[in-house]
Amino acid sequence: MYNIIRKKRDGGELSHNEKVHYLMEKNTVDADFLYKVMGVKESITSWENLEHDVKRVYIYFKNTDYIVDRSVAQKLEIYQKLRYKGKTITQQELRGNLTNSPNGKYFRLYDEGERETRGNVIYTFSVFSEDLFTPKATIAVELENETLLEDRNENSYVGDRCILDEKNNLILSTFEDDEKMKNLLEEKITLTDEKGIHILDDEVILYTSSRQNNWKYVSVVEKGEYLSELSNIRLLTYLMIFLYIVVGIALAYYMTLKNYHSKTFFQHNNNTLHHYQKKLANL
């Protein structure tokens, strides 16, 4: 199961990197700054090589308005043009998300003409210096929507899936009509629900929540498929019970037979010994 909190935690190792802390205290991009950038790139590359389901990790340094990933290190203005050409996010929006987003939040990234819920998710968390109230750098982990939606699909049902944030806002989905499904989910899933199943006329809604960030992972499947799966599970359960009974009877029979032969063997030996004792007594 995919765990975005684990990505956040593991990515947090970058926040303890000495070079990262050095760069976030700098106010100018000088030769020494660029030299340290090379070490940060290596650290990001090492982390990404271990996390194949992460599309991209980068660090934004607030004092210098500078972004570093495994292969690009540029001012935010240039970085946005290089990495996010054709995306709807502007330089101002990107800067705002990286500067003002609360620790452990997200923003979405999607192509022009694409629905918001079909884009990628960028999960952010802050890097603090001695001033614990003002972050001076932000680590951003970009995750593809397919990775989040498919990896969190805990059941074998084939259907539409979506992710809701802690306020039940639709983050990602495979629905044809997001607004219709959003209204339906709002009727059936409350903010305090952690997990549940709602059986409707033609569909079944299944969902579970993450206790770390309160995101809800929802599957909407056809009622017929869900009931068929339940029947298969019930049949498998009956089969397992039957097998346990058969195995139990076989073991009981084997132990009884074994004990019977042991008892017969000792009784026979006892009779034989008694017979010879009588003969010896008559000599």
Side-chain angles (χ1 to χ4, degrees):
M1 180 186 295
Y2 188 90
N3 192 336
I4 193 171
I5 299 300
R6 181 173 62 83
K7 302 296 180 188
K8 174 181 178 294
R9 181 197 65 205
D10 295 344
E13 295 177 2
L14 294 171
S15 67
H16 301 295
N17 187 292
E18 292 182 2
K19 296 182 178 65
V20 171
H21 277 263
Y22 177 84
L23 292 180
M24 72 183 191
E25 298 294 343
K26 294 278 289 184
N27 294 315
T28 58
V29 180
D30 53 20
D32 190 43
F33 183 96
L34 295 176
Y35 176 75
K36 296 291 185 181
V37 161
M38 300 302 295
V40 174
K41 281 185 176 183
E42 292 176 359
S43 298
I44 293 175
T45 300
S46 298
W47 187 80
E48 282 191 0
N49 287 340
L50 297 175
E51 301 291 345
H52 301 293
D53 49 1
V54 171
K55 182 176 182 180
R56 182 178 296 115
V57 176
Y58 57 86
I59 305 174
Y60 171 70
F61 298 98
K62 184 178 179 180
N63 288 354
T64 52
D65 198 36
Y66 206 83
I67 295 180
V68 179
D69 68 20
R70 66 182 300 167
S71 58
V72 174
Q74 290 288 350
K75 286 283 192 176
L76 183 142
E77 179 182 356
I78 299 175
Y79 189 91
Q80 186 270 342
K81 293 178 180 178
L82 291 173
R83 286 299 192 199
Y84 297 143
K85 183 179 180 180
K87 304 293 183 181
T88 57
I89 193 167
T90 64
Q91 295 172 17
Q92 291 75 18
E93 290 171 338
L94 179 60
R95 182 178 292 107
N97 284 321
L98 295 175
T99 303
N100 302 320
S101 289
N103 191 35
K105 296 300 180 179
Y106 73 94
F107 61 96
R108 289 176 291 198
L109 185 71
Y110 50 96
D111 295 330
E112 294 179 0
E114 182 182 43
R115 294 207 314 242
E116 291 184 27
T117 55
R118 298 298 174 91
N120 293 344
V121 168
I122 298 180
Y123 202 83
T124 66
F125 58 103
S126 304
V127 183
F128 295 87
S129 59
E130 294 180 358
D131 181 1
L132 298 179
F133 299 100
T134 306
K136 293 187 177 182
T138 300
I139 297 176
V141 181
E142 184 176 345
L143 305 160
E144 293 184 328
N145 60 352
E146 292 88 356
T147 299
L148 283 169
L149 288 169
E150 292 179 7
D151 204 40
R152 283 310 299 253
N153 188 25
E154 299 177 341
N155 50 60
S156 59
Y157 307 118
V158 177
D160 287 316
R161 301 179 301 280
C162 74
I163 300 176
L164 305 174
D165 67 12
E166 69 278 5
K167 296 181 180 179
N168 275 6
N169 295 316
L170 204 58
I171 303 174
L172 298 173
S173 85
T174 61
F175 300 134
E176 290 296 327
D177 189 339
D178 285 340
E179 193 62 32
K180 176 183 176 181
M181 290 309 301
K182 184 176 184 297
N183 294 335
L184 175 63
L185 296 176
E186 285 178 348
E187 292 178 7
K188 301 299 180 182
I189 303 177
T190 66
L191 291 174
T192 57
D193 287 342
E194 290 189 2
K195 61 174 63 177
I197 299 175
H198 293 287
I199 300 178
L200 310 180
D201 292 337
D202 301 316
E203 299 168 319
V204 176
I205 301 174
L206 306 97
Y207 61 95
T208 184
S209 301
S210 167
R211 292 185 178 181
Q212 289 85 0
N213 61 359
N214 295 319
W215 285 11
K216 294 183 178 69
Y217 301 87
V218 184
S219 294
V220 180
V221 300
E222 292 184 1
K223 186 175 181 179
E225 181 189 356
Y226 175 74
L227 295 178
S228 175
E229 187 74 16
L230 282 183
S231 298
N232 292 336
I233 293 174
R234 188 179 296 111
L235 181 61
L236 180 61
T237 302
Y238 291 153
L239 179 61
M240 294 300 296
I241 294 173
F242 174 75
L243 289 175
Y244 286 143
I245 293 174
V246 171
V247 171
I249 292 174
L251 284 174
Y253 176 77
Y254 171 76
M255 295 302 296
T256 302
L257 192 63
K258 183 179 179 181
N259 290 336
Y260 173 77
H261 284 306
S262 297
K263 182 178 179 181
T264 303
F265 173 77
F266 284 118
Q267 185 176 4
H268 174 73
N269 287 345
N270 185 54
N271 292 337
T272 302
L273 179 62
H274 184 66
H275 173 73
Y276 282 108
Q277 284 178 340
K278 281 185 175 181
K279 281 189 174 184
L280 289 173
N282 294 329
L283 289 178

